[in-house]
Amino acid sequence: MMQAAILAAGFGSRLRPLTDDRPKALIPLAGQPIIGHALDALAEAGVDSVVIVAGYARAALVEYLGARKRPAVTVVDNPAYATTNTLASLLCAAPMLAGDFLLLDGDLVFDRAVLPALIAPGTRLAIDRARPLDDDAVKVALDGNRIVSVGKTLAPQWTPVAESIGIAKIDAATAGRLCSVGRRLLAAGAAQAYYEAAFQELIEAGAVFAAADITGRNWVEIDDHDDLARAESLFIAA
């Protein structure tokens, strides 16, 4: 059985006024909220249990999820959502996860064909080699198919060649180490750390993170109104 975690706790301030009363995961897109597309894709891929991390406008998210039938959803809270980031949200979900799991950012819309590329042995990150790498992009450096560095800023010795789109498959062996590193980073004061900071520490310690190349597939991380307009142009008929 494959589980998934969706991180949907943040404000979405760049999408106001659409997020004045809802998290950005609930912004309508092609007939349903953004998170609805992810849940449909997970169900189609055989995922039957999803942990969703809520924070901002929690009640609206819970109300929407309560009307869905599948996959089965458990909502957990990040009570510090206003002062933390995706690493803290991931650790809020961790006690509910066992074995391998998929990890998704809650502001993504993507072709359903993306997920099968991730459901394979090992820990894998979905990457796109075709996107221009701007300051917001989570950049990836590779050695063959193995990820050697990941983050918004890479060390000078690494040349970024792709973007990590915000979907990962974490295997059971890596999950425990990931949580341990994440807790240490938070305890050291990295409240605003993204989960990629923990990924990078594990990679430097020898953990294998493979690339799942989804170049050519449609996907959008919806951070602002321009992103939303692009997503609408790509997925309105989906």
Side-chain angles (χ1 to χ4, degrees), residues 155-179:
Q157 68 266 32
W158 301 118
T159 300
V161 296
E163 180 172 0
S164 179
I165 77 166
I167 309 179
K169 183 270 186 129
I170 309 298
D171 68 15
T174 303
R177 297 173 64 195
L178 176 61
C179 292

Side-chain angles (χ1 to χ4, degrees), residues 126-141:
I127 67 160
D128 188 333
R129 296 175 181 266
R131 292 287 181 90
L133 298 175
D134 60 20
D135 289 344
D136 280 343
V138 175
K139 302 162 188 70
V140 170

Side-chain angles (χ1 to χ4, degrees), residues 50-143:
V50 181
V51 180
I52 297 178
V53 183
Y56 172 68
R58 176 189 189 277
L61 183 60
V62 170
E63 180 180 5
Y64 167 73
L65 295 170
R68 290 190 58 99
K69 297 190 182 300
R70 59 186 297 267
V73 167
T74 301
V75 178
V76 299
D77 295 332
N78 177 358
Y81 69 87
T83 57
T84 60
N85 216 311
T86 58
L87 177 58
S89 284
L90 172 57
L91 293 178
C92 291
M96 304 296 296
L97 300 168
D100 297 357
F101 66 93
L102 292 166
L103 174 63
L104 293 81
D105 292 342
D107 56 359
L108 280 175
V109 61
F110 53 90
D111 285 348
R112 294 188 183 183
V114 166
L115 292 182
L118 288 151
I119 301 175
T123 291
R124 302 162 68 82
L125 306 186
I127 67 160
D128 188 333
R129 296 175 181 266
R131 292 287 181 90
L133 298 175
D134 60 20
D135 289 344
D136 280 343
V138 175
K139 302 162 188 70
V140 170
L142 297 171
D143 181 4

Side-chain angles (χ1 to χ4, degrees), residues 193-215:
Y194 296 94
Y195 55 69
E196 287 89 1
F199 289 178
Q200 181 62 30
E201 284 215 12
L202 289 174
I203 289 166
E204 291 173 358
V208 176
F209 281 64
D213 193 337
I214 57 88
T215 303

